Amino acid sequence: MITLIVATIAAFLLLAYFGAPVLWWTIAVGALLSYLSLIAGFGAVTKTTLAILFLGVAAVLNIPALRRAVFTDRVLAVYRRILPDMSQTEKEAIDAGTVWWDADLFSGRPDWDKLLAVRAPRLSAEEQAFLDGPVEELCAMCNDWEIAHELQDLPPHVWQFIKDKGFLGMIIPKQYGGLGFSALAHSAVVMKLSTRSSAAAISVMVPNSLGPAELLLHYGTDEQKDYYLPRLAKGLEIPCFALTNPEAGSDAASIPDYGVVCKGTWQGKEVLGMRVTWDKRYITLGPVATLLGLAFRLYDPERLLGDKEDLGITCALVPTNTPGVNIGRRHLPLHGVFQNGPNSGKDVFMPLDWIIGGRDYAGKGWMMLMGCLAAGRAISLPTSSVGGAKALTRFTGAYARVRSQFKTPIGKLEGVEEALGRIAAHTYMMDATRIMTAGAVDLGEKPAVLSAIAKYHMTERARTCVNDAMDIHGGKGICLGPNNWIGRGYEMTPIAITVEGANILTRTLIIFGQGAIRAHPYVLREMRAAKEMTGAEASREFDDALTSHIGHVIRNGTRALIYGLTHAAFAPVPRGASPEIAHYYRHVSRLSAAFAFLADVSMLAMGGALKRKEKISGRLGDVLSMMYLASATLKRYEDQRIKEDLPLVRWSVRDALYNAQQAIDMVLSNFPVKALATFLRWTIFPLGTPWRPPLDSRNRECAQIALTPGAARDRLTAGMYVPKGDDATGILEKAFVAAIACEPIDEKLRKAVKKGKIVAAPGADIGLLAMEKGLITAEEYSQWQRKEALRKQVIKVDDFPQDFGRSALLDAEQTRPLVRAA
Ligand SMILES: Cc1cc2nc3c(=O)[nH]c(=O)nc-3n(C[C@H](O)[C@H](O)[C@H](O)COP(=O)(O)OP(=O)(O)OC[C@H]3O[C@@H](n4cnc5c(N)ncnc54)[C@H](O)[C@@H]3O)c2cc1C
């Protein structure tokens, strides 16, 4: 009997593990019942009753028409009643973009072979030349203090250079005079600029992200494209895109800005047009824009365009010199001096031709915006955050080696090392995510969920990195001035957190909310069958999706349990994977099965209420995100296979697994149905929670990479602008190299002082004393002197007159932009 029980459980577990079709289950149950009735010696009546029951259930399960009539059509009827109606804007947001690796992670069995087979994204020779030429030159031209403090804008020659070299037309194809760059190149340019000047990076980033050019490329009429794209590519037009209204920020679909279709006079002729009224704020490049991309809700009360009154959100291109357009005033976003400000208009008449895509696209603005955002969100903010993290790794590592306290470079003090190691490892994972996500866009994907993950986690990690870096810099990071290279970045970090979907909303509403519908293999099919289909078509589609869905839940639950019991020993590893990281694939596969199971049970238990339970859905989103970040990290390592980088991979993946585990733990602790929570915990963590935070020893290895000049540090910060001149960061680079070269000399001096051979009296030149006593050579003394001079420059902070020079500057040329803005 024990053998029979064990064999039965094993057989059922195997069927569930491999997701066997219902026929196999029927055969297995049939065989078991036959055997039981044989050995149990049932009478004829019992046998016949059992057989009839079995055949009845088997027929219902295996004959689709019968199954639909008895089971799925009833479920469909209930599902239709409880499934909340979706607004058109919600539907368009859900439908936007494509799914890619997120679908694998949602499936519970990611196909690692498929991921590793994706070619590592590469820049073309032309793109690399642009990075090494104009981008390098632009970085060298930018002096952040001058831009941010003295001019409060980019200097005119920098603006001109940006326009002349085509920076504003990176995404515009060559046929229209643009650079026609890949997403990877676009990202590499923004990243490099972000390591030098936030104002330059943002000014370049915005025309290349969601705005007139991108909307025209996807939806513009030929006439609109032929006229505007060449002008945008050459910087003859400065674009901005105005969606946000004081009343509608995150809930952008509710903008109260409106247009009314009417007849009017345009250039002396009567034409069909719209009278548009709007009030926008926070619009980047708005104050200097010549072309305003404007989103508003269009109404047609006189039915001049058709039979609908409320046509919906509409996007138009409005030249800013149009009479009635109020533009030009500035906001001051956390002292970031990129151009940003409000604009408005009241009853401004404009022809219908100004609608992007022409009158056929009246009312389709939200679909257009969501479609563009699905891919665009993958580039700008994730990329600028990676740029920030690379600069922080390089500069903070250097500073921690140059700055000493307690007679030790601070980077060697464990507390500082902990923060520095974190910065370095985050940077590796962030860059891996940037490259994988931009690579997906270049493959033709518009990865709506993955771009939201990249946006949220890259900007949040940048915030963690800058907080750590500020702590390591101490007062040096706090006192602003030309000698402070991180204070402005720290100040401006919340900007990236807020724009293109503020982070709280992105985490708690979008990542899992959209993922659960889009990336889940069956949920969207079930919803479409229920809401968009009728009759036999709905019945067949719903039946197929639902039965597959049930099999999917059983399979993932079983896999989660078996992986949990075996420490993921049987989970898949891709062919040709590097043995040193093979176990991580198994762990992420285990996590994927657990997540898929948990997600389904959560949806079942909470239904539509899950959308409002943002704490739960935020944590489910965290698990999905951690799997994506870990996948990107593993892929990056496989594409490069450089063993020196292993500590960064190990720290990051372990951290991701641990964070995912914490998120699952919190979901289970707060799960509304306690019995289900207990069942889920036994299934997902049958032997307790398996993942631990990264080890201190690993953290030390990561910090060492940031503290040591060489290939690993250069690789970690690859693509950033490495200053070569004599500005603050240029001096820092030199001081860093000099500090390391002088370490043996410092050691000799330390020993000499300790043994009393020289006396380190206040103000004494111990190098000179050591040289005079023959403890170091003259050459060593000169090397040490140079290092000391550089070190003193590095630790220097700026000071200003009592009134910060305001009275002296009032009449001076530099204050004009400030006065104008005020
Ligand atoms: C510097 C800067 C540049 C910008 N550039 C542009 C531009 O060029 N064009 C443009 O149109 N707009 C632009 N914006 C606007 C930007 O997109 C909005 O600021 C953003 O959408 C958030 O809106 P809000 O600031 O009104 O915040 P709110 O909408 O008031 O949100 C406040 C907080 O509530 C959270 N929240 C809101 N709803 C939910 C929810 N359902 N669940 C959970 N949390 C929620 C948000 O995450 C946020 O944390 C810019 C903003 C800034 C600051």
Side-chain angles (χ1 to χ4, degrees):
M1 183 50 77
I2 289 172
T3 315
L4 176 70
I5 293 171
V6 171
T8 306
I9 292 175
F12 286 172
L13 280 178
L14 275 177
L15 287 174
Y17 183 91
F18 289 108
V22 78
L23 184 63
W24 289 34
W25 283 93
T26 314
I27 294 170
V29 173
L32 177 68
L33 287 178
S34 308
Y35 184 69
L36 280 178
S37 59
L38 268 182
I39 60 166
F42 292 148
V45 178
T46 319
K47 276 186 188 167
T48 315
T49 316
L50 258 180
I52 291 171
L53 266 177
F54 170 73
L55 287 173
V57 174
V60 169
L61 290 178
N62 286 280
I63 301 171
L66 198 56
R67 183 174 63 225
R68 293 204 303 269
V70 174
F71 174 58
T72 33
D73 283 354
R74 289 160 202 260
V75 180
L76 175 60
V78 176
Y79 187 62
R80 276 188 170 135
R81 273 202 304 278
I82 58 172
L83 186 66
D85 280 330
M86 256 194 214
S87 68
Q88 185 60 20
T89 48
E90 270 179 300
K91 217 168 102 34
E92 284 169 356
I94 292 286
D95 286 344
T98 60
V99 289
W100 186 58
W101 186 243
D102 38 342
D104 276 76
L105 296 172
F106 242 102
S107 74
R109 48 176 175 184
D111 181 352
W112 295 110
D113 289 320
K114 184 179 87 182
L115 184 70
L116 295 205
V118 175
R119 208 171 63 88
R122 296 247 180 285
L123 297 170
S124 69
E126 185 193 351
E127 291 167 343
Q128 188 61 55
F130 189 77
L131 280 159
D132 298 339
V135 184
E136 182 81 11
E137 218 180 312
L138 176 56
C139 287
M141 284 162 83
C142 291
N143 172 335
D144 206 44
W145 180 252
E146 179 195 50
I147 292 169
H149 187 74
E150 293 169 0
L151 302 179
Q152 307 227 321
D153 194 0
L154 295 172
H157 69 281
V158 170
W159 266 118
Q160 200 54 49
F161 186 83
I162 287 174
K163 293 175 188 173
D164 291 346
K165 297 290 173 187
F167 278 90
L168 303 184
M170 286 190 286
I171 60 163
I172 297 178
K174 288 190 171 157
Q175 69 185 98
Y176 295 107
L179 295 177
F181 278 177
S182 63
L184 186 70
H186 170 192
S187 145
V189 172
V190 171
M191 182 180 75
K192 188 161 182 168
L193 292 177
S194 307
T195 63
R196 184 64 173 171
S197 160
S198 53
I202 295 171
S203 304
V204 167
M205 195 160 93
V206 168
N208 287 291
S209 57
L210 180 59
E214 203 183 2
L215 290 166
L216 282 172
L217 280 171
H218 292 289
Y219 307 102
T221 61
D222 287 344
E223 253 186 331
Q224 289 171 335
K225 286 185 195 172
D226 291 342
Y227 180 73
Y228 278 121
L229 290 176
R231 295 177 61 76
L232 286 163
K234 293 277 166 270
L236 299 174
E237 300 281 0
I238 300 287
C240 69
F241 190 74
L243 173 63
T244 305
N245 173 288
E247 301 298 335
S250 300
D251 186 11
S254 70
I255 40 171
D257 311 294
Y258 64 92
V260 178
V261 180
C262 60
K263 288 193 179 129
T265 308
W266 183 251
Q267 294 176 339
K269 285 191 203 146
E270 189 181 83
V271 295
L272 203 50
M274 332 167 257
R275 273 192 197 288
V276 185
T277 297
W278 73 94
D279 179 15
K280 302 291 188 182
R281 64 176 180 181
Y282 304 150
I283 309 308
T284 303
L285 292 187
V288 293
T290 59
L291 186 62
L292 172 68
L294 186 64
F296 53 91
R297 188 167 271 277
L298 187 60
Y299 296 91
D300 184 13
E302 294 177 42
R303 306 288 200 274
L304 295 170
L305 293 182
D307 56 1
K308 257 173 94 178
E309 177 166 352
D310 179 357
L311 296 172
I313 292 176
T314 300
C315 298
L317 289 181
V318 184
T320 54
N321 59 6
T322 306
V325 175
N326 301 313
I327 204 155
R329 290 183 67 79
R330 286 179 75 176
H331 297 305
L332 186 52
L334 292 173
H335 297 116
V337 294
F338 59 93
Q339 295 283 341
N340 182 279
N343 62 71
S344 61
K346 182 149 177 48
D347 289 332
V348 177
F349 182 78
M350 52 189 83
L352 279 183
D353 300 351
W354 287 12
I355 294 175
I356 301 176
R359 69 171 71 181
D360 289 349
Y361 279 79
K364 297 200 173 143
W366 193 248
M367 175 275 290
M368 292 156 67
L369 295 177
M370 291 299 105
C372 289
L373 198 61
R377 189 155 40 194
I379 310 290
S380 309
L381 298 161
T383 291
S384 52
S385 301
V386 178
K390 286 190 174 184
L392 291 170
T393 298
R394 198 165 181 106
F395 299 151
T396 311
Y399 184 74
R401 194 84 190 235
V402 173
R403 173 70 171 164
S404 287
Q405 287 294 280
F406 303 99
K407 301 190 176 68
T408 313
I410 56 170
K412 295 188 177 174
L413 304 169
E414 277 213 5
V416 172
E417 183 181 85
E418 188 178 14
L420 186 59
R422 223 170 11 231
I423 297 175
H426 280 327
T427 302
Y428 185 88
M429 184 176 250
M430 290 167 74
D431 201 27
T433 307
R434 173 187 76 85
I435 292 168
M436 182 151 131
T437 317
V441 174
D442 282 330
L443 289 174
E445 300 293 341
K446 286 182 165 190
V449 177
L450 297 182
S451 61
I453 291 176
K455 191 275 165 173
Y456 175 81
H457 288 277
M458 300 306 95
T459 53
E460 287 297 337
R461 273 164 199 245
R463 172 146 72 178
T464 307
C465 289
V466 80
N467 283 344
D468 277 335
M470 284 295 284
D471 291 351
I472 293 174
H473 279 78
K476 170 81 188 169
I478 290 167
C479 293
L480 292 174
N483 282 299
N484 182 338
W485 46 79
I486 69 164
R488 291 261 177 203
Y490 170 77
E491 210 178 357
M492 288 177 63
T493 298
I495 296 176
I497 304 280
T498 302
V499 299
E500 288 195 1
N503 272 9
I504 295 181
L505 168 132
T506 303
R507 171 174 175 263
T508 56
L509 205 67
I510 297 178
I511 295 177
F512 183 76
Q514 196 164 358
I517 298 176
R518 275 313 296 273
H520 191 287
Y522 305 110
V523 167
L524 190 57
R525 281 182 61 197
E526 289 160 354
M527 287 171 68
R528 286 201 168 131
K531 289 287 175 190
E532 291 169 23
M533 295 176 192
T534 52
E537 187 195 18
S539 169
R540 268 196 296 275
E541 175 65 6
F542 189 77
D543 174 70
D544 190 48
L546 182 69
T547 47
S548 308
H549 194 159
I550 293 169
H552 170 82
V553 176
I554 295 171
R555 190 197 70 212
N556 284 325
T558 310
R559 281 178 181 235
L561 177 68
I562 292 178
Y563 291 156
L565 289 170
T566 57
H567 206 52
F570 304 112
V573 173
R575 275 188 297 276
S578 303
E580 60 275 19
I581 57 165
H583 56 294
Y584 292 132
Y585 293 104
R586 293 197 192 97
H587 288 300
V588 180
S589 291
R590 172 182 175 184
L591 190 53
S592 172
F595 165 75
F597 185 58
L598 177 61
D600 270 314
V601 177
S602 303
M603 286 190 265
L604 187 70
M606 289 171 249
L610 186 53
K611 190 175 154 190
R612 289 185 301 280
K613 290 197 169 293
E614 293 187 348
K615 292 175 193 162
I616 300 272
S617 74
R619 289 168 190 139
L620 289 169
D622 290 344
V623 184
L624 178 64
S625 304
M626 290 305 120
M627 290 191 289
Y628 181 59
L629 267 53
S631 306
T633 307
L634 297 174
K635 169 82 171 119
R636 180 89 186 126
Y637 182 76
E638 296 289 5
D639 286 344
Q640 295 188 316
R641 301 212 173 177
I642 298 170
K643 290 229 164 80
E644 249 184 314
D645 295 345
L646 264 179
L648 301 162
V649 177
R650 290 187 167 136
W651 193 98
S652 318
V653 177
R654 204 171 152 126
D655 182 61
L657 290 168
Y658 180 70
N659 283 333
Q661 172 181 286
Q662 299 302 93
I664 295 178
D665 192 46
M666 287 295 283
V667 171
L668 297 180
S669 301
N670 293 283
F671 209 77
V673 189
K674 294 299 163 203
L676 258 185
T678 308
F679 165 70
L680 282 165
R681 201 179 277 282
W682 284 348
T683 311
I684 293 172
F685 299 135
L687 304 178
T689 47
W691 296 300
R692 300 285 162 261
L695 295 172
D696 285 350
S697 53
R698 209 62 83 207
N699 167 266
R700 162 163 297 176
E701 291 166 348
C702 295
Q704 278 310 314
I705 290 175
L707 284 168
T708 315
R713 175 176 180 256
D714 288 344
R715 232 179 357 264
L716 185 57
T717 58
M720 71 170 279
Y721 175 71
V722 179
K724 295 163 195 79
D726 277 342
D727 62 5
T729 47
I731 297 285
L732 175 65
E733 278 287 311
K734 290 176 191 159
F736 173 57
V737 176
I740 287 158
C742 273
E743 274 185 357
I745 307 171
D746 278 326
E747 189 54 29
K748 282 186 196 172
L749 297 179
R750 233 183 329 267
K751 278 188 184 152
V753 171
K754 204 168 173 194
K755 287 183 182 162
K757 290 184 183 169
I758 49 175
V759 179
D765 183 343
I766 56 167
L768 181 63
L769 294 176
M771 185 185 71
E772 284 168 356
K773 296 211 165 162
L775 300 172
I776 59 172
T777 65
E779 198 183 320
E780 284 176 321
Y781 175 53
S782 118
Q783 192 184 343
W784 183 82
Q785 263 188 315
R786 181 172 172 275
K787 182 265 306 186
E788 276 297 285
L790 287 167
R791 185 185 68 79
K792 284 198 160 46
Q793 268 183 278
V794 164
I795 65 170
K796 188 171 85 181
V797 299
D798 301 284
D799 47 49
F800 301 90
Q802 274 279 330
D803 66 350
F804 288 98
R806 195 173 297 272
S807 53
L809 282 175
L810 259 179
D811 299 326
E813 183 70 20
Q814 294 98 308
T815 54
R816 286 211 186 129
L818 180 64
V819 171
R820 257 208 313 271

